[in-house]
Amino acid sequence: KLAARQSIFSSDLSERRITDMPRSQLSRRLQLSSGLMLMVSPLLSAAWVMPNAVAGSSLARLSGKVGLSFAASPSQHHFLRGARGSALPASARIPLRSTSSLSMMSQDAKDKTKPFVCTTPLYYANGPPHMGSAYPTMAADVLAQFQRMQGREAVFITGSDEHGEKIATTATQNGKENQEFVDGIVGEFKDLWQKLDIKYDSFIRTTSPEHEAIVKEFFQRVWDKGDIYKKDYSGRYCVGCEAYLGDDEMETIDGVEHCCKIHRKPAEERSEENYFFRLSAYQEKLEQLFKDRPDFVQPSWRFNEVKGWVDKGVPDFSISRSTISWGIPVPNDPDQVIYVWFDALLGYISALLKEGDEPTLENALKRGWPCDVHIIGKDILRFHAVYWPAMLMSADVPLPKYIYSHGFLTKDGLKMGKSLGNVLEPAELVDKHGADAVRYYFTKGLDFGGDGDFAAERFALVLNADLANDVGNLLQRSLKPLMKHVGSSFPTHVTPKENPLREIAASAAEKSAAAYEKMDFRGAGEAALELARVGNKYIDDKAPWTLFKEGKVDEGVAVLMACMEATRIVAVLLSPMVPEVAGKIYHQLGFSAEEFKSLQWSDAEWRDLPEGQAFPEPAGIFNRIDLGLKEEDKKIKPAPKQKQTQQQVPDVEDILRVDMRVGKILKAEKHPDADSLYVEQIDLGEEQPRTVVSGLAKYIPLEELEGKKVAVMCNLKPSKMRGIVSEAMVLAAGTDTVELLEVPEGAAVGEQITIEGYDAPTPDEMLKSKGQAKVWDRVVEKLATDAGKVACYDGKALKTSAGPLTVPSLTESPIK
């Protein structure tokens, strides 16, 4: 009985945070363990997640909620990692994503002797950098800068992967020697990072002698373990991936079989004698890893994908090539070179060596390993989340703490490619709009964990609304009238503690820190903007211009001084993303460049501006981007829905023709003529709510529906159900037990629900003919929850900008 009770309680803890449970449900769970509170504390340490910055307040809220007190030793807090703190207000402009992923702050976050180590991929040096390589590098720079502001040493690693067949081929095509060619490409990467104000600590090149020494030592360790063997092999090889592909990594495209799913080109059939790594020997250890550390891969839907790969069985993989010579020779076998991934991944370790260090694994590892987070694209997730951990296990090297896999970038909803002529050049974008504009849009302006889209119009609208309007206006509306009435230095002023701006500022700093730790850059920026928006409203409400006219100069000055201090705090919170804009704010407030460079996160505390500090003539901090838009278009809005019929686009996949959106139930009542039906009024972001008749009465209490966000299928032909026309359909999972699909916090009403890995939907206006109705019939056959309770289509997550849709408990259940 005790084991069963503990299992029930542990299950609830692992599925969602205790603080999110209704009080009555939490009480029932605790009653199951009545008299056994000694088991609660260990469970908390293993399963309850919360942001470090708000850990104390979260415990206090929980204690008050259940009338109990909890105590945990420092060792029990070893695994407490950040989730979301207090929910941010929903933004009408840019929906926030779910912040349920765990904190990048590890158990050694308080250990100042261990640096915070984050890495980008080592970029393949077969061509110049593009936005896909700039994207994770900007994110890593923001994360590293935040950690530095927290007072922690940070080691931000990037670099270049310079070996392999593809590079040798490209060098030959360009009439250059291999080393000469990669030297030129590396120079282009470093130039771009300088343009983007990226401050890496180590740039590792896999052609360096130090890296080669590390790779050979690592190879020898794995060899001595008995995990390397030689054999003849035949298979399908993708030059783009530099890898032999399994059946699940290939597909038929336009009638051509065995095409790589990533590069969309046919994989060549090859036979050669290679060395292999015995990955299969680590099947059970990998399974145990993902059982013990469900946070190892982030976001959570990527973890489910990796776990699925491992559950199918992990085959041994080739770690050398005999057909090329451009690479690190295999020890004692110069006819073979080490496979590019077995070479490149070791760059994360060799990059830790400092000048003068002897290039040994021991010396490199003691400089900060294990890495806190690898930031990578989803196209190289298998190499990092399956191959890399097993390699490290074999060599008896600790595993990295987290792997964070971001999505792909598109432009105007389309994949970027030279053939389409829509490649987005980062250097050109920086030259035109500045580094901060690019950094801000690709961190704060997108959901970093999912796929992101660049559209010139939205780029301008986001930057103008956030930096020019919210932040820039607040500063100018405060500084100019202050200079007019008191001169160019700050008067004596103390803002009362009860001032609403002080309260909001404290909350904003806490929320922003918690979001940065989880790489939720949108949430981090939105917390700062919340303070700026409240500051602008504060000026409107207090109307200091009226106070000055009435002779209430001191009151007017007090309003302006509070707003300027709020702006200073906004600058601190945004500085990891937009260092130039933040520096301009500090300069406008009279601070020196040296004072700004020494900025710490503790400077986000309310301090009031120094008496007598002189400030310069007010000037803009961000130049508005003018795209020649009409006035009515100058507000952020979702991309227009592309309505295309099957006749217009005959090869559109079924799922892309379906219109699934986020809705909010405004009102729900029982159907007057059917006990099993509800009638709901659902807001879908349209002019009028839609009437929906659903068969949920048997499964979900009426009182739980009103105000709830749901997933809605919107383009089925309306149908009359017991005399009431239903204009859409609410999606739910299960058969005997039914659960609504849960929309992540921060998803906007009316937002399109997309499929992970698919292009943006192009839904039919209405699926009303018999042929069109079959589209939904085919789609629904592939809708189901996965083992991680994520709603999926054909195994790919249904998601919003705030994250994936989930259900509370049902796994592998149909969705309809």
Side-chain angles (χ1 to χ4, degrees):
K1 285 184 179 180
L2 296 185
R5 291 172 180 175
Q6 184 172 2
S7 175
I8 292 170
F9 191 64
S10 178
S11 174
D12 277 340
L13 284 169
S14 64
E15 289 171 12
R16 50 184 172 157
R17 290 168 303 283
I18 302 179
T19 49
D20 286 347
M21 286 188 193
R23 175 176 181 145
S24 58
Q25 184 178 352
L26 178 58
S27 298
R28 288 196 298 271
R29 291 293 182 247
L30 291 173
Q31 287 166 7
L32 287 171
S33 301
S34 178
L36 300 170
M37 290 311 298
L38 67 158
M39 72 171 63
V40 172
S41 185
L43 283 169
L44 282 172
S45 68
W48 189 28
V49 291
M50 59 187 173
N52 297 315
V54 295
S57 60
S58 295
L59 282 167
R61 289 198 300 272
L62 175 62
S63 302
K65 187 170 185 178
V66 297
L68 296 168
S69 60
F70 292 92
S73 69
S75 63
Q76 288 168 335
H77 282 298
H78 186 75
F79 289 103
L80 291 183
R81 295 196 250 272
R84 63 173 172 262
S86 305
L88 293 172
S91 167
R93 304 189 218 186
I94 308 172
L96 299 181
R97 74 183 171 102
S98 167
T99 54
S100 60
S101 58
L102 302 187
S103 171
M104 294 298 117
M105 288 288 281
S106 66
Q107 56 264 36
D108 352 74
K110 301 293 178 65
D111 179 9
K112 304 300 182 186
T113 64
K114 161 71 172 72
F116 180 90
V117 178
C118 63
T119 72
T120 71
L122 303 191
Y123 299 111
Y124 204 49
N126 70 316
H130 47 73
M131 191 56 77
S133 42
Y135 187 40
T137 311
M138 289 184 283
D141 186 70
V142 169
L143 181 63
Q145 180 56 24
F146 168 73
Q147 295 292 342
R148 295 183 190 109
M149 290 180 69
Q150 293 274 43
R152 190 174 181 193
E153 179 188 356
V155 178
F156 165 21
I157 293 170
T158 189
S160 53
D161 174 5
E162 302 176 21
H163 291 133
E165 178 179 353
K166 191 163 56 174
I167 286 176
T169 300
T170 307
T172 301
Q173 291 170 349
N174 283 269
K176 295 183 178 181
E177 294 295 325
N178 295 337
Q179 190 65 56
E180 178 191 8
F181 176 74
V182 296
D183 287 348
I185 296 298
V186 166
E188 292 186 56
F189 272 91
K190 289 185 174 181
D191 287 346
L192 179 60
W193 299 162
Q194 186 174 9
K195 274 179 175 285
L196 283 167
D197 203 10
I198 285 168
K199 297 177 174 63
Y200 53 82
D201 298 286
S202 178
F203 190 107
I204 184 64
R205 299 185 61 180
T206 60
T207 53
S208 70
E210 295 80 10
H211 174 75
E212 181 173 342
I214 293 291
V215 170
K216 287 183 174 179
E217 182 183 352
F218 187 91
F219 187 97
Q220 191 64 49
R221 275 200 192 188
V222 178
W223 176 275
D224 293 342
K225 201 76 169 286
D227 287 334
I228 295 175
Y229 63 94
K230 196 175 187 181
K231 75 167 186 175
D232 290 326
Y233 184 75
S234 296
R236 294 278 177 177
Y237 184 82
C238 173
V239 176
C241 292
E242 297 275 10
Y244 283 98
L245 304 182
D247 290 340
D248 63 334
E249 297 171 278
M250 296 181 288
E251 62 184 349
T252 299
I253 299 176
D254 297 330
V256 180
E257 297 181 340
H258 308 299
C259 291
C260 172
K261 288 184 176 180
I262 295 172
H263 295 95
R264 302 184 67 78
K265 295 180 180 179
E268 304 171 5
E269 190 164 8
R270 289 189 179 182
S271 297
E272 59 180 322
E273 186 180 44
N274 296 144
Y275 288 96
F276 277 72
F277 174 69
R278 212 180 297 275
L279 182 63
S280 57
Y282 292 87
Q283 175 75 41
E284 291 184 4
K285 288 187 177 181
L286 287 170
E287 291 174 352
Q288 193 63 42
L289 166 66
F290 296 125
K291 181 180 179 181
D292 295 343
R293 294 174 61 180
D295 58 337
F296 181 63
V297 177
Q298 294 290 332
S300 58
W301 61 90
R302 304 260 191 257
F303 170 81
N304 294 332
E305 185 176 9
V306 173
K307 188 172 181 298
W309 293 335
V310 173
D311 289 346
K312 291 177 183 177
V314 290
D316 299 349
F317 67 92
S318 171
I319 62 170
S320 75
R321 296 288 179 267
S322 61
T323 55
I324 59 173
S325 59
W326 181 239
I328 297 173
V330 169
N332 302 317
D333 192 346
D335 293 333
Q336 300 258 351
V337 297
I338 294 174
Y339 165 57
V340 66
W341 283 103
F342 207 83
D343 163 9
L345 290 167
L346 269 298
Y348 299 137
I349 293 176
S350 61
L352 290 168
L353 288 168
K354 293 190 176 182
E355 189 175 354
D357 284 349
E358 182 184 355
T360 66
L361 275 172
E362 180 182 3
N363 286 340
L365 294 171
K366 71 183 182 183
R367 293 296 189 185
W369 196 263
C371 170
D372 289 83
V373 56
H374 291 312
I375 302 171
I376 60 164
K378 64 181 181 181
D379 55 327
I380 54 175
L381 180 58
R382 189 188 300 256
F383 300 106
H384 285 78
V386 180
Y387 292 11
W388 182 227
M391 289 163 53
L392 293 170
M393 291 175 186
S394 177
D396 297 320
V397 174
L399 304 191
K401 292 167 188 168
Y402 299 105
I403 295 170
Y404 197 101
S405 176
H406 63 79
F408 291 149
L409 291 178
T410 56
K411 185 179 180 184
D412 300 316
L414 299 173
K415 293 179 180 178
M416 286 185 270
K418 292 180 180 178
S419 61
L420 294 175
N422 68 341
V423 174
L424 183 63
E425 296 293 349
E428 292 179 6
L429 205 59
V430 174
D431 289 341
K432 188 174 182 179
H433 301 294
D436 274 13
V438 180
R439 289 170 63 97
Y440 188 81
Y441 184 82
F442 286 96
T443 51
K444 161 61 172 71
L446 299 178
D447 169 22
F448 185 66
D451 294 337
D453 184 64
F454 176 88
E457 180 179 332
R458 188 173 185 276
F459 176 77
L461 294 174
V462 167
L463 290 160
N464 290 344
D466 292 1
L467 299 183
N469 292 354
D470 289 338
V471 181
N473 282 351
L474 179 61
L475 180 62
Q476 299 309 311
R477 296 174 74 191
S478 306
L479 270 178
K480 287 181 178 179
L482 187 75
M483 177 173 277
K484 178 180 178 180
H485 290 280
V486 301
S488 58
S489 62
F490 297 126
T492 302
H493 173 73
V494 177
T495 305
K497 290 185 177 180
E498 62 272 15
N499 184 290
L501 286 183
R502 288 193 69 155
E503 296 174 3
I504 295 293
S507 172
E510 182 179 308
K511 291 174 184 176
S512 187
Y516 273 122
E517 288 174 359
K518 299 185 294 290
M519 296 183 68
D520 176 12
F521 304 124
R522 177 177 284 181
E526 197 63 28
L529 290 175
E530 177 190 1
L531 176 56
R533 291 168 189 150
V534 171
N536 278 303
K537 188 175 186 304
Y538 184 73
I539 287 186
D540 292 339
D541 292 344
K542 295 296 183 180
W545 50 90
T546 301
L547 296 174
F548 290 131
K549 286 181 181 179
E550 294 173 350
K552 300 176 181 178
V553 176
D554 289 346
E555 291 183 38
V557 167
V559 171
L560 299 176
M561 290 293 291
C563 288
M564 284 186 292
E565 173 62 6
T567 309
R568 185 194 66 79
I569 293 172
V570 169
V572 175
L573 304 186
L574 291 180
S575 62
M577 287 187 275
V578 284
E580 184 179 353
V581 168
K584 286 181 178 179
I585 293 173
Y586 254 60
H587 173 70
Q588 288 281 287
L589 295 175
F591 293 96
S592 68
E594 290 70 27
E595 287 174 300
F596 177 71
K597 286 179 182 178
S598 62
L599 212 59
Q600 296 291 308
W601 196 258
S602 58
D603 290 317
E605 296 174 1
W606 193 282
R607 296 177 178 178
D608 283 313
L609 294 166
E611 177 188 355
Q613 179 162 294
F615 54 89
E617 189 74 26
I621 59 166
F622 183 82
N623 294 327
R624 295 181 61 83
I625 300 173
D626 185 7
L627 288 179
L629 302 176
K630 295 178 181 179
E631 194 62 36
E632 60 267 25
D633 293 330
K634 292 183 178 180
K635 56 183 180 179
I636 297 175
K637 55 188 177 183
K641 188 168 42 172
Q642 302 171 21
K643 296 180 179 178
Q644 297 167 306
T645 66
Q646 187 179 23
Q647 287 72 32
Q648 292 170 312
V649 189
D651 59 347
V652 170
E653 294 186 58
D654 287 337
I655 188 60
L656 301 182
R657 297 177 59 195
V658 170
D659 185 9
M660 293 185 289
R661 284 185 259 156
V662 174
K664 182 177 182 180
I665 300 177
L666 303 178
K667 182 180 180 182
E669 57 190 3
K670 291 184 177 180
H671 194 293
D673 297 321
D675 292 339
S676 63
L677 302 177
Y678 286 149
V679 180
E680 300 119 13
Q681 297 297 317
I682 301 182
D683 180 6
L684 289 162
E686 300 168 331
E687 290 186 8
Q688 298 292 331
R690 293 199 196 186
T691 300
V692 178
V693 180
S694 68
L696 297 172
K698 293 181 181 180
Y699 309 103
I700 299 173
L702 193 62
E703 59 271 16
E704 291 185 12
L705 294 180
E706 289 194 10
K708 187 175 183 65
K709 286 184 180 178
V710 291
V712 183
M713 165 57 178
C714 298
N715 63 338
L716 282 176
K717 181 180 179 182
S719 61
K720 186 176 288 188
M721 300 178 70
R722 293 292 185 94
I724 297 179
V725 175
S726 182
E727 301 172 302
M729 182 169 66
V730 176
L731 297 180
T735 49
D736 296 332
T737 300
V738 173
E739 296 176 346
L740 290 171
L741 301 194
E742 294 194 344
V743 177
E745 181 184 347
V749 170
E751 180 181 345
Q752 193 96 53
I753 294 170
T754 60
I755 311 299
E756 180 71 20
Y758 280 74
D759 292 335
T762 54
D764 290 23
E765 186 170 0
M766 189 68 66
L767 299 173
K768 55 186 178 182
S769 70
K770 288 184 179 180
Q772 289 174 320
K774 290 180 180 179
V775 170
W776 176 245
D777 293 339
R778 292 191 294 268
V779 167
V780 82
E781 289 177 358
K782 298 182 180 181
L783 287 173
T785 60
D786 66 8
K789 296 169 286 190
V790 175
C792 295
Y793 171 77
D794 200 20
K796 303 294 184 182
L798 273 63
K799 65 186 186 74
T800 68
S801 63
L805 279 68
T806 59
V807 293
S809 65
L810 297 177
T811 59
E812 299 178 347
S813 295
I815 295 171
K816 52 190 176 181

